[in-house]
Structure formats: C-alpha cells, structure tokens
Amino acid sequence: MSIGQLRKIKRRHAVTRAADAQLASHLPELGLPCMNDGARMAFRAILDYETPFGNGSLRDFLMLAEARGFCAHPMDWIPAPDDAQYSPLYQPWVDWMSDNGVTEFHAGNRLTKDNWARWKPKARLAAFKRRMREDVQAAHDLLATVGTTQPATTRLALLNEINAFAAFSGNYPYQVPLLKHFLADRSANIRAVAETKLRAMNGLETEAAHAAVLATQITASGGAVTYATPPAAHTQPYFKNFACTTFDLLAKALGLSPQQLARQSDLKALGSDFMLLVVLTGDVETRSIVASRLLEMGETDLASGLFDGVTRPLWEQGLRATFKSHFWFSVAEFLGLEAGTLTPTRMRELACYEHWETSVTNEIESGKLPVNGQYDPLRVLGLVVDKDAAQAIIDLAVALGMKETHPRLTMLKFNLAL
C-alpha cells in the first residue's frame, strides 16, 4: 500500500514541503494536536509572506503555536531534510519519513547501529557529528560496534569529524576517549592521525587541566576575581580554555566554592567567555547569583539559559529586563514556551512597542518599510503578546490607515487564530 508523498509548494521566494493527504494519515501523532482550520489558514499566510526563512524565523512562529498548545498540520508544512528550524516536537515526523523511505536519511535523523547502512556517506558523517555533540557515549558505542567493521576510508572520515566544530582548532576533553579509540585501529595511518590530534592538545586532555590554565591567568584575592593581566581589547586568548572546562572546576582551581566565584567574579572584565561557563552550569544557585548581579548592573541582553529553573520572581525580573533590549527578539527567546502571553499593559513596556506606530505611519506616508522584515515591530509583537494585545494592535494599525489585509499583520492574526 502506498504511504503517500511529499508535495513541494512554491512560496513567494522559496519552496516549502508538505504531506499529501495519504502521507499525512500515516504520520505519527505528535505530542500536541494540530492547529484548527482558522489557525492553519493564518499559518499558511505567514509561510507565503515570510519566505525565504532565515535566522530562525520559521522556528519563531512554530514556537508560538507550540506555546499555545498546537503543532503544524503536515498538509501545510513538514520539516525538510536540510531544515534545522523546528523543535524536538517534530522529530517523530522526521524519523518516520526516513525510516519509511519518504526521505533519505539526513542530519536531522538520529544515527544508530540499526540504521547505519541506510545512510549516504556524507549525510552519515554529519549525523555522527551531531550524535557526538548530543551524546558522546552513544557516538563512542557506534565507533565500537559499527565503526570497526567499516573500510579504512570510512574510519578515517569518522576520525576527522572529531573536532571542535569550528569553535577552535583542536578537540574538547570529552572527545579524548573517542580519539583514543582510534589508537588501537588496525590502520597505521589512522593511528597516526589520532596520535597527532592527541598531541596537539598539549597535555590538556581534561576539563580540570584547562581550569588550571585559567587559574594562572585569573586572580582571586580581596573578595574579587578577575584577570591578573587583562587581555587586549577584542581578543579572546583563553576562549579555548573556557570552552573546555566547567564553572565548578574553575572555582575549585581558584580555591573557591562555586557560590563564592559567582559572587566575587568581575563579570565585565571576565566577559562572555566566563559567562558561557555560568550559563552552562547546572547549578541553579550559581546562576541565580550571577543573574541577580547582572540585573543590578542594569544589563538587558541576558541569555535565557541563565534563568532556567530559577525562582519565578527572578525569572520575571529577567524578562522585564529584556523588554528594554535593543535586540527585540530576546523577549521571545526568553519567553520560550510562554510566548504569546504578554498583556496589553506589559506590551507597552517593550522597546519594540515604542516603534510600531511610527513604522506604520512611515509606510502609509512614504512607503518606507522596516529594513529587516523579521525585525518588523508588528511581527515581534505578534510573537510575544496575548490575544487581547494582538487585537488592540491590529485595531490601532487599521485606525492609523493600514489595510486590515496588509501582510505585515500576518503574525498578529496568527496569534489571534491560535
């Protein structure tokens, strides 16, 4: 029995893909119900207006739908093999289509020992790299079970994929067991490549070793933690060391507790490299301390990950701070699955709210459109406000002279339809 096929749908400047009725009937159900007919129509209007997608623009409104408790209908849109702009919600569709021959296996699928032989070489390498980033033990198991049976050219290609993913030249400490796996390879050439990669780490094969290097450059005295000699402006000489260690290990290397490091660190002097460690730590208390300090400093560009699991009042403070960020989308990113909840009162606090009326009158009077459609204040508002606020903006825009059918209102209408 045929399971159907994917349709290619021409949009304004791009092509999206959707399932035909037969394929849609076979796809597994997701964790949320599909949108209703009204929301589907609004969703298709966005697809038509916003193509081509870029910088996460598709992910933005898929997240809004997910926040409201809905997923896309497969007859309107389905993830493409080269499309990374969807949440894990849609992974069952992606995997089912490849498992059942509708699409080839691609980097969006999970590489396993059972499907290893079904991949084309280039796609399999990309999937291996993804697997390595997400679950290094699973990647190691693949090398041990399937990789050893592959030709030397394949084994070498896998070895060459073990790198820092363009973050820096070299390898992360967590990749050392993968590299050492190849030291026992039956090919002398492959063993030599693995040895070269390990030697290039200059003995810094553990996260603790990188923390020790940082401890030679950072001082902790008099209740202050900062660089002994500040790096030259616009340079990141210790980025690799920060990227290869953890917050707790750095604290230990400095003779401090994680909480002491969080309270005493010179956040401005240590900069974004240090903040990466803070955001990635799983310790909520540590992140709460740093988040509170940043808010006291008046920072508005805050990583949403810094606030994962913190108390609700602190999370609310962080959200309010993003309202004044020049990066308007930081509000939507911070809200995450609480997108589409800002009331009309809170909406008026947003930096983008201050610009939406001017942008409408500028277009009506002189045809001047926002330089970047994704940063159209009407679009940004549509992603973050609740239905009452969305309707209020539409009513005010129409009162200013904007036609109710204007495509710039598509995100606000999608908000209302969900």
Side-chain angles (χ1 to χ4, degrees):
M1 181 179 68
S2 171
I3 59 174
Q5 59 185 356
L6 289 173
R7 300 177 292 126
K8 291 184 178 181
I9 302 174
K10 292 184 178 180
R11 302 292 179 187
R12 188 174 58 157
H13 297 299
V15 173
T16 57
R17 305 192 326 162
D20 64 15
Q22 191 169 7
L23 175 58
S25 70
H26 288 289
L27 288 169
E29 292 185 3
L30 303 182
L32 296 174
C34 292
M35 306 170 194
N36 60 35
D37 290 344
R40 288 181 62 189
M41 185 179 299
F43 180 76
R44 291 193 296 268
I46 293 178
L47 290 175
D48 287 332
Y49 175 57
E50 297 211 350
T51 52
F53 305 112
N55 299 322
S57 59
L58 178 61
R59 183 171 58 248
D60 294 337
F61 51 94
L62 287 171
M63 178 61 76
L64 176 59
E66 191 172 342
R68 290 279 174 82
F70 300 100
C71 68
H73 195 289
M75 292 181 67
D76 298 328
W77 170 86
I78 211 161
D82 59 349
D83 184 4
Q85 297 195 65
Y86 57 87
S87 78
L89 175 66
Y90 296 93
Q91 195 65 43
W93 285 357
V94 174
D95 291 335
W96 188 94
M97 286 191 295
S98 295
D99 288 338
N100 289 275
V102 179
T103 61
E104 295 180 342
F105 280 87
H106 54 86
N109 296 118
R110 188 177 66 168
L111 178 65
T112 69
K113 62 183 180 62
D114 295 323
N115 64 26
W116 179 283
R118 301 182 64 184
W119 297 70
K120 289 185 177 179
K122 186 176 181 180
R124 184 168 53 211
L125 289 175
F128 175 73
K129 178 172 281 191
R130 178 188 175 191
R131 199 78 170 121
M132 183 167 44
R133 298 182 77 160
E134 295 176 349
D135 188 341
V136 67
Q137 184 57 54
H140 193 284
D141 291 344
L142 282 171
L143 291 177
T145 56
V146 187
T148 54
T149 68
Q150 301 302 300
T153 53
T154 300
R155 301 198 309 275
L156 180 59
L158 290 168
L159 173 56
N160 285 332
E161 290 300 319
I162 303 174
N163 52 54
F165 316 119
F168 56 82
S169 176
N171 288 94
Y172 292 101
Y174 77 83
Q175 295 172 332
V176 168
L178 298 176
L179 296 176
K180 288 185 175 179
H181 164 85
F182 287 97
L183 293 180
D185 195 274
R186 56 187 180 272
S187 165
N189 180 48
I190 291 175
R191 294 196 300 271
V193 172
E195 289 168 356
T196 298
K197 284 177 172 285
L198 286 165
R199 280 199 304 272
M201 297 182 76
N202 295 318
L204 301 177
E205 295 185 4
T206 66
E207 294 173 334
H210 282 277
V213 170
L214 290 172
T216 66
Q217 305 298 326
I218 297 172
T219 62
S221 62
V225 179
T226 191
Y227 282 116
T229 302
H234 309 299
T235 65
Q236 294 178 291
Y238 311 116
F239 170 78
K240 184 174 180 177
N241 303 112
F242 278 109
C244 290
T245 193
T246 68
F247 189 91
D248 287 4
L249 286 173
L250 177 58
K252 183 179 180 179
L254 292 169
L256 303 171
S257 70
Q259 291 73 32
Q260 287 174 319
L261 178 56
R263 292 190 182 96
Q264 298 175 20
S265 53
D266 186 332
L267 299 178
K268 287 190 175 180
L270 294 174
S272 59
D273 293 348
F274 177 76
M275 281 305 303
L276 177 66
L277 292 187
V278 179
V279 172
L280 292 178
T281 182
D283 184 63
V284 176
E285 182 182 1
T286 294
R287 285 189 282 105
S288 297
I289 293 169
V290 175
S292 297
R293 292 183 59 203
L294 289 171
L295 291 170
E296 291 171 2
M297 292 163 58
E299 293 292 330
T300 60
D301 298 322
L302 302 166
S304 59
L306 186 64
F307 292 81
D308 287 346
V310 304
T311 63
R312 186 67 185 190
L314 181 57
W315 184 89
E316 290 277 355
Q317 290 179 54
L319 175 63
R320 295 288 286 269
T322 66
F323 287 1
K324 300 306 178 185
S325 172
H326 295 297
F327 300 100
W328 295 345
F329 273 109
S330 63
V331 178
E333 292 169 357
F334 198 99
L335 283 168
L337 288 176
E338 292 193 39
T341 60
L342 298 185
T343 64
T345 299
R346 303 196 79 180
M347 170 183 69
R348 294 184 182 92
E349 300 177 37
L350 297 172
C352 66
Y353 181 83
E354 301 172 9
H355 296 269
W356 82 265
E357 188 171 336
T358 301
S359 78
V360 170
T361 55
N362 282 346
E363 182 185 2
I364 292 171
E365 294 173 1
S366 62
K368 185 179 179 181
L369 288 166
V371 175
N372 185 333
Q374 290 179 42
Y375 270 78
D376 183 339
L378 293 175
R379 182 187 193 277
V380 178
L381 289 170
L383 287 168
V384 300
V385 302
D386 66 14
K387 292 188 178 185
D388 288 340
Q391 186 63 64
I393 291 293
I394 291 175
D395 292 343
L396 288 168
V398 171
L400 287 170
M402 176 175 272
K403 291 184 179 180
E404 193 168 357
T405 57
H406 198 298
R408 286 181 62 193
L409 299 175
T410 53
M411 191 64 71
L412 288 157
K413 291 181 178 178
F414 180 51
N415 183 314
L416 287 173
L418 287 168

